[in-house]
Amino acid sequence: MAVVMETLISTRTAHYTSLLKLVNHMRTTQISLSVDDLPKKWYNITGDLPEPLPPPKEPETGPSRAEFLGKTMIHECLGQEGSTDRWIPIPEEIRELYIQAGRPRPLYRARRLEKHLGLKKVRLYYKREDLSPTGSHKVNTALAQAYYAAKEGKTTLVTETGAGQWGSALSYAASLMELECIVFWVRAVYDWKSDRRTFMKLLGATVYPSPSKETGIGRELLAKNPNNQGSLGIAVSEGLEYASQHEGVVYSLGSVLNYVLIHQSVIGLETIEQFKLVDDEPDLIVGCLGGGSNFGGIALPFAGEVLQGKRECEFLAAQSEAAPNLVKGEYRYDFGDVAEQTPLLKMYTLGHLAEMEPIKADGLRYHAAAPFISALRHRNLVRAVAYPTDERVVFEAARMFFRTEGWLVAPESSYAVKASIDEARKAEKAGEEKVICMNISGHGFLDIEAYREKLGVE
Amino acid sequence: MAVVMETLISTRTAHYTSLLKLVNHMRTTQISLSVDDLPKKWYNITGDLPEPLPPPKEPETGPSRAEFLGKTMIHECLGQEGSTDRWIPIPEEIRELYIQAGRPRPLYRARRLEKHLGLKKVRLYYKREDLSPTGSHKVNTALAQAYYAAKEGKTTLVTETGAGQWGSALSYAASLMELECIVFWVRAVYDWKSDRRTFMKLLGATVYPSPSKETGIGRELLAKNPNNQGSLGIAVSEGLEYASQHEGVVYSLGSVLNYVLIHQSVIGLETIEQFKLVDDEPDLIVGCLGGGSNFGGIALPFAGEVLQGKRECEFLAAQSEAAPNLVKGEYRYDFGDVAEQTPLLKMYTLGHLAEMEPIKADGLRYHAAAPFISALRHRNLVRAVAYPTDERVVFEAARMFFRTEGWLVAPESSYAVKASIDEARKAEKAGEEKVICMNISGHGFLDIEAYREKLGVE
């Protein structure tokens, strides 16, 4: 009897052990959190920075920008902008919006890509912000802003958009919060990206090619040249003018500002929990960086723990040579926008009037890096790399990712993929054990034309 | 002391209760399974049907179709086609592929749509097959077929595609299994859907506009008319000819056959577990239906339990008047394809040579319903409804879904959305308590042009 029992137990144990091994193996492909594990607080790095964040400044000429923004923007967000609280509670209503939008999002172990690259020492992970309903991480702040705007009695969100990701995210958030949404969209892109345009309009947004007849600035420019193709600077100016002159309208921004990066921290906070589940830890976090919102989203919660002495981890921003603000920029006060309507912020900047070559990863074409990221860069806590503007190598990396992992990433995200592959190969060659985690900021379903052109796949 | 303790306990209990309520509320928005809960077996309804499934038959003239298919198709799949086993184990390797592709997929409670419709008595749920890497449920069988093909020593998968969803799914599966993939694509669609074409090619597939110069049939047709725009029948014939004449090549089919619906059962099996989690049960399952693979996928596991006397549930297929096979078809033996290369199958059919009006939901344009579905329809276990070919009402329903739930569905899925809304309104009006669950078979990111055209959203 004892022998039978023993056999039974050992059989069961063996069975259990193999089961456990299996489960762990599978867990380390797709690492999911339950809905209950969605973070309850956003992380704000302000108080953990090695030195106080240089405050925004008024420019020497012109009216007070802070006063102007105070009138046109969401008060709760402006409060968060200057907050030094490490943790900012996420209102239950915003958590529900996040869940509606599919959060928490999985973290994947890139086993197939690892195999393809022949990695033995290096482990690769990627966070799935591409699973967003609008195709990018931008919804994380759009939903928060729409909620606060509604709570403050506003009826309408207004913004500008370049590539169209931010306009899509805000249109989506407005739709879910039953608010109006007005998007001023650079005319050159508006005319060309018909799918993005329809996407926003289907959500009920009013989308104007900018310059438009809806604002004084727009009318003035159109009077001079009816075929003015617009620019991000013009679109910002139109949005701000519209917000300041209409009742119940607030202006929303999708990157750079502290509160945007605070909202995006939900990405990194989830990722920290996901690494715990598989008992692993990243040595390097990689994200693409234009203004810095997806990069900050994944990096800042980890960076905070580094600054608190709780972990060791490096950070790498993947940029384009079209806008290598962290690679070649100067750390100084500059405007956040071409139209000079924001206060001056201390940032690594190429100059707010810098000409930037057009690239498919349009979301990376921004002259400066967010103050939070710039402060870390200044202390050498963030590294940066810039890839050539022909974009061939990044699209090639994205194709490799697509063929091995099976997910088509946004042009912007392909920079993070490329940088991660480069770092993995370097470490492997050096015989260094390394865990690399990249953020996939968006999907590429609406950017297939860019792939077609860049890789010549007809 | 006792009072203090009591207060403490009651405070904690209140806290716990409110927490629980909250968690349950959130659970019933996004109902997720863990990776460990992915089904380990597919469900096969064959043995549970009220009468034996009418077997395939050879047509009176021409060569043996069964023999031909035996040579050109995957053996394991043909074995499953005739299996009477209720449960068919999912090989561990296929489970890992499913996990890679993002399974299990969430079930959502459509709280926002319910609110918009003013529903008090009716609860709406939807299953998220739109989260697929290629944009539809087709990956569920594509991955299984690619795995079995590789196991049987094949090097190449060949198929035909109409709308492009099946070609995309098979290209994806081939890429993950490191197989070659050849797609014969109806020329008219090939020329037009440049994004789908690039999508497949990025995955490494070889995509030929059909008729092509790669086959005898194709060359013959092109000799007669170099501008032949092709048809699904021609594409099937080319694929089968190619498979029969090349070493290591197998032909893959994406719908209608029993084994395809068996693979798709993973959808319904997950959904059954998800309903248990929220302690609810569907009274009605709704899916769109062309050949029947997504409909069968969600419906058959529930239907099996109905047939076993374990639950009560109704089933509704949402069709187009372009191909109302379950609504207006005859239950008789017919070919599965225009080219008459399959055995005869007993199905509700409009005739395999029926002319079908073009619609945007091209995946619903099929002349017959899968044998499994047809057998249930014959016993009045499946209802069906067909919507007009101008598609206005279904796209309107999809827009309502997009604005409330925030997810852009595929044109095909919009039929399921429309039918669910119609049924919900009907039940609500009748004061009937009802739980409706629809399957969202795919996303609409690659079909925005269809929305633009049908809804006039420029």
Side-chain angles (χ1 to χ4, degrees):
Chain A
M1 181 68 188
V3 175
V4 172
M5 280 300 289
E6 210 168 302
T7 313
L8 199 68
I9 290 166
S10 79
T11 312
R12 281 194 176 173
T13 308
H15 179 64
Y16 180 73
T17 309
S18 83
L19 258 183
L20 205 70
K21 238 171 104 180
L22 183 67
V23 162
N24 275 336
H25 174 70
M26 295 198 303
R27 270 239 177 84
T28 51
T29 297
Q30 183 195 141
I31 307 147
S32 298
L33 294 176
S34 89
V35 160
D36 315 340
D37 295 326
L38 182 74
K40 295 185 172 58
K41 294 167 183 171
W42 289 302
Y43 172 66
N44 173 13
I45 201 167
T46 306
D48 289 323
L49 289 172
E51 56 195 60
L53 194 72
K57 277 200 329 198
E58 292 288 356
E60 281 171 21
T61 58
S64 164
R65 309 307 202 265
E67 207 174 294
F68 180 63
L69 289 187
K71 280 184 204 150
T72 52
M73 292 179 70
I74 299 158
H75 292 152
E76 183 68 31
C77 294
L78 290 175
Q80 291 171 356
E81 188 67 15
S83 168
T84 52
D85 296 346
R86 181 182 280 167
W87 297 104
I88 295 176
I90 308 177
E92 206 42 62
E93 294 87 345
I94 295 178
R95 293 188 75 232
E96 282 181 26
L97 289 166
Y98 280 174
I99 291 164
Q100 181 72 34
R103 301 212 75 89
R105 305 210 189 286
L107 175 72
Y108 269 57
R109 169 85 180 272
R111 287 190 179 277
R112 290 168 179 274
L113 180 57
E114 286 175 16
K115 196 180 151 208
H116 181 79
L117 294 169
L119 303 179
K120 309 262 179 249
K121 294 259 177 186
V122 179
R123 298 192 288 287
L124 289 173
Y125 290 85
Y126 55 101
K127 177 73 171 172
R128 303 287 317 275
E129 290 304 308
D130 57 304
L131 291 173
S132 140
T134 68
S136 87
H137 68 289
K138 295 278 182 195
V139 289
N140 298 328
T141 186
L143 287 168
Q145 293 188 45
Y147 168 75
Y148 289 129
K151 204 178 155 198
E152 291 172 17
K154 305 298 182 183
T155 60
T156 308
L157 297 169
V158 62
T159 197
E160 91 295 336
T161 198
Q165 284 281 19
W166 171 239
S168 303
L170 201 68
S171 301
Y172 164 83
S175 183
L176 259 58
M177 285 306 301
E178 296 175 19
L179 295 171
E180 297 293 319
C181 184
I182 295 171
V183 180
F184 288 94
W185 196 358
V186 180
R187 185 183 293 271
V189 193
Y190 174 97
D191 286 342
W192 173 66
K193 288 203 177 180
S194 48
D195 279 359
R196 276 267 170 225
R197 192 174 70 224
T198 300
F199 189 90
M200 293 182 218
K201 288 185 178 179
L202 281 172
L203 284 165
T206 304
V207 190
Y208 296 118
S210 165
S212 76
K213 290 180 181 159
E214 304 302 312
T215 67
I217 301 164
R219 285 187 294 269
E220 203 175 300
L221 289 165
L222 286 174
K224 282 182 202 155
N225 174 12
N227 291 318
N228 191 316
Q229 289 300 296
S231 71
L232 211 53
I234 295 168
V236 171
S237 301
E238 285 204 271
L240 284 169
E241 181 190 318
Y242 191 96
S244 66
Q245 294 184 354
H246 291 79
E247 205 56 43
V249 181
V250 274
Y251 193 74
S252 275
L253 276 169
S255 190
V256 180
L257 297 184
N258 300 347
Y259 73 80
V260 172
L261 274 68
I262 288 171
H263 298 160
Q264 293 293 356
S265 71
V266 67
I267 303 172
L269 292 169
E270 284 179 9
T271 309
I272 287 176
E273 293 311 309
Q274 286 162 321
F275 270 105
K276 284 183 193 161
L277 281 181
V278 290
D279 198 20
D280 207 352
E281 282 190 24
D283 301 302
L284 177 68
I285 301 280
V286 181
C288 61
L289 191 142
S293 85
N294 97 84
F295 181 86
I298 190 151
L300 294 182
F302 286 96
E305 294 193 0
V306 170
L307 291 166
Q308 291 162 42
K310 288 186 186 165
R311 75 162 68 229
E312 287 181 15
C313 187
E314 296 190 315
F315 304 92
L316 175 64
Q319 305 205 281
S320 165
E321 283 180 358
N325 51 51
L326 286 180
V327 177
K328 294 187 180 163
E330 246 182 285
Y331 191 43
R332 63 174 172 85
Y333 274 98
D334 194 8
F335 289 104
D337 67 321
V338 185
E340 306 188 352
Q341 307 229 21
T342 66
L344 297 167
L345 303 169
K346 185 110 182 238
M347 304 182 287
Y348 276 86
T349 179
L350 301 162
H352 69 286
L353 298 173
E355 297 266 334
M356 291 172 285
E357 205 175 319
I359 50 171
K360 293 295 173 186
D362 201 39
L364 303 186
R365 282 175 77 243
Y366 186 71
H367 68 280
F372 276 164
I373 311 297
S374 292
L376 294 175
R377 170 73 174 150
H378 187 55
R379 283 291 187 134
N380 282 320
L381 285 164
V382 169
R383 283 191 292 135
V385 60
Y387 291 102
T389 53
D390 69 6
E391 298 184 285
R392 179 87 196 181
V393 294
V394 294
F395 275 91
E396 286 288 2
R399 171 156 63 182
M400 185 196 290
F401 189 86
F402 190 27
R403 288 199 185 171
T404 51
E405 293 295 319
W407 302 97
L408 187 70
V409 308
E412 289 80 4
S413 314
S414 70
Y415 285 71
V417 172
K418 170 63 178 160
S420 299
I421 291 173
D422 285 353
E423 290 288 317
R425 282 183 164 146
K426 214 190 302 171
E428 187 73 23
K429 209 174 162 189
E432 193 186 340
E433 193 162 322
K434 197 159 193 169
V435 176
I436 300 173
C437 176
M438 63 187 114
N439 191 39
I440 304 297
S441 58
H443 70 56
F445 286 118
L446 294 178
D447 299 286
I448 296 179
E449 194 167 334
Y451 277 90
R452 188 157 54 243
E453 191 182 318
K454 290 292 172 181
L455 297 176
V457 178
E458 279 309 314
Chain B
M1 181 68 187
V3 176
V4 173
M5 279 300 289
E6 210 167 302
T7 313
L8 200 66
I9 289 165
S10 80
T11 310
R12 282 196 174 168
T13 309
H15 179 62
Y16 180 74
T17 309
S18 83
L19 258 183
L20 206 69
K21 237 171 103 179
L22 183 66
V23 162
N24 277 336
H25 174 69
M26 295 198 303
R27 271 239 176 81
T28 52
T29 297
Q30 183 196 141
I31 307 146
S32 298
L33 294 176
S34 89
V35 160
D36 316 340
D37 294 326
L38 181 72
K40 294 185 172 57
K41 295 166 184 173
W42 289 302
Y43 171 66
N44 173 14
I45 201 167
T46 306
D48 289 324
L49 289 171
E51 55 196 59
L53 194 70
K57 275 199 331 198
E58 293 287 356
E60 282 171 20
T61 57
S64 164
R65 308 307 201 267
E67 207 175 293
F68 180 64
L69 289 187
K71 281 185 203 149
T72 52
M73 292 180 69
I74 299 158
H75 292 150
E76 183 69 30
C77 294
L78 290 175
Q80 291 171 356
E81 188 67 15
S83 168
T84 53
D85 296 347
R86 182 181 280 167
W87 298 104
I88 295 175
I90 308 177
E92 206 42 62
E93 294 86 345
I94 296 178
R95 293 187 74 232
E96 281 182 28
L97 289 167
Y98 280 173
I99 291 164
Q100 181 72 35
R103 301 212 75 88
R105 304 210 189 286
L107 175 73
Y108 269 57
R109 169 84 180 273
R111 288 191 179 275
R112 289 167 180 275
L113 179 57
E114 285 174 17
K115 195 180 151 207
H116 181 79
L117 293 169
L119 303 179
K120 307 263 180 248
K121 293 258 177 187
V122 179
R123 298 193 287 288
L124 288 173
Y125 291 85
Y126 54 103
K127 178 72 170 171
R128 303 288 316 277
E129 290 303 309
D130 57 304
L131 291 173
S132 140
T134 68
S136 87
H137 68 290
K138 295 279 182 195
V139 290
N140 298 327
T141 185
L143 287 169
Q145 293 188 45
Y147 168 75
Y148 289 128
K151 205 178 156 198
E152 292 172 16
K154 305 298 182 182
T155 59
T156 308
L157 296 169
V158 62
T159 196
E160 90 295 336
T161 198
Q165 284 281 17
W166 171 239
S168 303
L170 201 68
S171 301
Y172 164 83
S175 182
L176 259 57
M177 286 306 300
E178 296 176 18
L179 295 170
E180 296 294 318
C181 184
I182 295 171
V183 181
F184 287 95
W185 196 0
V186 180
R187 186 183 294 271
V189 194
Y190 174 96
D191 286 342
W192 173 66
K193 286 203 177 180
S194 48
D195 278 359
R196 277 264 171 228
R197 193 174 71 224
T198 300
F199 189 90
M200 293 182 218
K201 289 184 177 180
L202 281 173
L203 284 164
T206 304
V207 190
Y208 296 120
S210 166
S212 77
K213 289 181 183 160
E214 305 302 313
T215 67
I217 301 163
R219 284 187 294 268
E220 203 176 299
L221 290 165
L222 287 175
K224 283 183 202 155
N225 174 12
N227 291 318
N228 191 315
Q229 290 300 295
S231 72
L232 211 52
I234 296 168
V236 171
S237 301
E238 285 204 272
L240 283 169
E241 180 190 318
Y242 192 95
S244 65
Q245 294 185 353
H246 291 81
E247 205 55 45
V249 181
V250 275
Y251 193 74
S252 275
L253 276 169
S255 192
V256 181
L257 298 184
N258 300 347
Y259 73 81
V260 171
L261 274 68
I262 289 171
H263 298 160
Q264 293 293 356
S265 70
V266 68
I267 303 172
L269 293 170
E270 283 179 10
T271 308
I272 286 176
E273 293 310 310
Q274 286 162 321
F275 269 105
K276 283 183 194 163
L277 281 182
V278 289
D279 199 19
D280 207 352
E281 282 189 25
D283 301 302
L284 177 68
I285 301 281
V286 181
C288 61
L289 190 142
S293 87
N294 97 83
F295 182 85
I298 190 151
L300 294 182
F302 285 96
E305 293 193 359
V306 170
L307 291 167
Q308 292 161 42
K310 287 185 186 165
R311 76 161 70 228
E312 287 181 15
C313 186
E314 296 190 315
F315 305 93
L316 176 64
Q319 305 204 283
S320 165
E321 283 180 357
N325 51 51
L326 286 180
V327 178
K328 294 186 179 163
E330 246 182 285
Y331 191 42
R332 62 172 171 88
Y333 274 98
D334 194 10
F335 289 104
D337 66 322
V338 185
E340 305 188 353
Q341 308 229 22
T342 66
L344 296 166
L345 303 169
K346 185 112 182 237
M347 303 182 287
Y348 275 87
T349 179
L350 302 163
H352 69 286
L353 299 174
E355 296 265 335
M356 291 172 284
E357 204 174 320
I359 50 171
K360 293 295 175 187
D362 201 39
L364 303 187
R365 282 176 76 244
Y366 187 71
H367 67 280
F372 276 163
I373 311 297
S374 291
L376 293 175
R377 170 72 174 151
H378 186 56
R379 283 290 188 133
N380 282 321
L381 285 164
V382 169
R383 284 191 290 135
V385 60
Y387 291 102
T389 53
D390 69 5
E391 298 184 283
R392 178 86 196 180
V393 292
V394 294
F395 276 91
E396 285 288 2
R399 171 157 61 183
M400 186 196 290
F401 189 86
F402 189 28
R403 287 199 186 171
T404 51
E405 293 294 320
W407 302 98
L408 187 69
V409 308
E412 289 81 3
S413 314
S414 70
Y415 285 71
V417 173
K418 170 62 177 161
S420 300
I421 291 173
D422 286 353
E423 290 288 317
R425 281 183 166 146
K426 213 190 302 173
E428 187 73 22
K429 208 174 164 189
E432 192 187 341
E433 193 162 323
K434 197 160 195 169
V435 177
I436 300 173
C437 176
M438 64 187 114
N439 191 38
I440 304 297
S441 58
H443 69 57
F445 285 118
L446 294 178
D447 300 285
I448 295 178
E449 193 167 334
Y451 278 90
R452 188 156 54 243
E453 191 182 318
K454 290 292 172 181
L455 297 175
V457 177
E458 280 308 314

